[in-house]
Amino acid sequence: MIKKKALVTGITGQDGSYLVELLLSKNYEVVGLKRRTSTNTECRIDHIDSSDFHIEEYEISDSGSVYSVVEKHKPDEVYNLAAQSHVQTSFDQPDYTFQVNTIGVVNFLEAIRRFSPQTKFYQASTSEMFGKNVDTPVNFGVTTDETDHESYQDENTAFEPQSPYAAAKLASHHLVRMYRDGYKVFGCCGILFNHESERRGENFVTRKITKWLARYSTWLSKHHVLIEGSGLVSDNDDIWVASDQELRFPKLRLGNIDAYRDWGHAKDYVNAMWLMLQQEMPDDYVVATGETYSVRDFLQIAFEHIGVEDYESFIAIDPKFYRPAEVEYLRGIPAKAEQALGWSREIGFKDLVHQMLESDIANEKKEEAKEVWVAT
């Protein structure tokens, strides 16, 4: 049996690592593409040991580099997950964001058109493209209040990007459609809503929360402090825990915790990516859970998991984490993906939070054990 070959960009990221695992389980040969760096960025894929998995260096914003790799491999499928993916960073580095998130996509589309027209192309679009725009079902008689949980976004919702990141992604989204219509490139866009996991980058709010909680719970254990009855006293900057001596642990500093997001697990979402490229005709799909939760909800579930009922004493709101233009509410309706692709998510929101937190707690304990071993 001839193996399919897939190129995957963003191979060292959260989605890339899960997608490689999925493709290998389906008997693909996978070429992971990564930028050259002076430090090791392969921690998420170090565990993958397969003769069908190879890593090559390239530069997505360099057309010659992209053309060469596509012409060399003529892959059956390309999954473009490479991006400058942090919204706040896009305000600080808009030019770089467009170079990677838009010019990089043009490079791949042109490479496929010129050198490998049979290749199917997946582009990672984003729910951030919707910005502040929502649709409201008429039969519910609801308003456009952004905290109204009947409001939603789907494939027919108008785009209204609120960041350079979203604008760059939207340009790429339209480019895929144009190459699909004009050049018959088999191009699909997955409009993915927020998807997290134990492999999420630590600068994203969900992982920032679970990482802080893991460090805090480990710190409590190290100092033999019980969460209940420990006499918590807080000031504007720090949490103080009274025990045999005064101990100090910094608060968790966050920005807008009243933003609502539709959160799923990345492992479920990469399956949707693969399903899109197995269809007879290319199309674009919203991938989401159909549910929305605030950052406050995430905090509540995470803190309760370590036995803390009131999280507010442990956090500090820091204006520096607010964006110049905020997206307050996202809730995707994945009906099209469920019906046309047969896709469904398996991991619910509460389980997602618990899995992320338990993973970070386990990692903290491992690091603690290493420190003890070195010290002795």
Side-chain angles (χ1 to χ4, degrees), residues 136-142:
T136 52
V138 176
N139 56 315
F140 284 104
V142 296

Side-chain angles (χ1 to χ4, degrees), residues 316-374:
I317 303 301
D318 191 333
K320 79 176 183 179
F321 294 116
Y322 278 78
R323 300 170 183 171
E326 182 60 86
V327 174
E328 297 288 350
Y329 179 95
L330 291 172
R331 172 179 169 248
I333 301 299
K336 181 178 176 180
E338 291 173 345
Q339 294 166 10
L341 304 178
W343 176 83
S344 63
R345 59 95 176 246
E346 296 182 2
I347 302 171
F349 179 65
K350 193 170 185 178
D351 288 338
L352 167 66
V353 179
H354 290 172
Q355 287 181 26
M356 292 178 67
L357 183 52
E358 287 298 329
S359 175
D360 276 330
I361 289 174
N363 289 337
E364 284 296 320
K365 288 180 178 178
K366 287 179 183 177
E367 292 302 315
E368 184 77 12
K370 286 181 184 177
E371 291 178 8
V372 171
W373 185 83
V374 171

Side-chain angles (χ1 to χ4, degrees), residues 264-299:
H265 197 290
K267 185 181 289 188
D268 288 336
Y269 285 32
V270 298
N271 188 45
M273 300 175 190
W274 176 77
L275 286 169
M276 290 180 208
L277 297 196
Q278 310 317 304
Q279 306 308 303
E280 290 186 8
M281 298 297 293
D283 207 344
D284 305 327
Y285 301 86
V286 161
V287 181
T289 71
E291 302 170 355
T292 188
Y293 296 91
S294 68
V295 180
R296 287 184 183 274
D297 294 328
F298 195 103
L299 285 164

